[in-house]
Amino acid sequence: MGTVHKTITLTDQQDLWIKAQIDAGNFADDSEYIRDLIRREQERSAELDAIREALVAGEESGEPQPFDAAEFKQRMLATHG
C-alpha cells in the first residue's frame, strides 16, 4: 500500500490535543493519530451503512404483522427450555 504526503492545518487547540495524546503514549506521532481517526470514521460509516441497509430491508419486507409477546415467550420456552 502506497502512502501520500498531506499537509493539514489545525487550530492551536487541536494541535495541543494531538500532542497530549502522543505524550500520553497513545500514539507514536501525529500521522498515527490522524490515521487512527480516519480508520474509526471508516468503521463508523460502515456501521451506519449497514443500519441504513437493514432499515430499508425492513421497510421493503412487507406490512407489519401483529406480535404476541406471550405466544413468543411460550414458543421460546418450548424450544430452548
Side-chain angles (χ1 to χ4, degrees):
M1 176 185 336
T3 60
V4 177
H5 180 80
K6 296 276 185 185
T7 301
I8 62 170
T9 303
L10 304 170
T11 65
D12 291 337
Q13 183 181 8
Q14 291 167 332
D15 187 49
L16 288 172
W17 173 261
I18 293 173
K19 287 178 181 176
Q21 298 305 305
I22 294 166
D23 291 345
N26 297 325
F27 300 94
D29 55 34
D30 296 26
S31 293
E32 185 181 339
Y33 181 73
I34 299 299
R35 285 191 303 269
D36 183 66
L37 290 176
I38 292 169
R39 277 190 296 273
R40 284 195 258 161
E41 177 60 20
Q42 289 171 325
E43 291 170 2
R44 189 185 74 82
S45 182
E47 290 170 356
L48 286 175
D49 287 346
I51 291 169
R52 286 185 186 105
E53 289 174 15
L55 288 170
V56 168
E59 289 173 347
E60 293 175 347
S61 69
E63 290 297 316
Q65 301 296 317
F67 180 74
D68 183 339
E71 185 275 329
F72 176 78
K73 288 178 185 178
Q74 287 283 27
R75 193 171 69 239
M76 290 299 107
L77 283 171
T79 304
H80 303 286

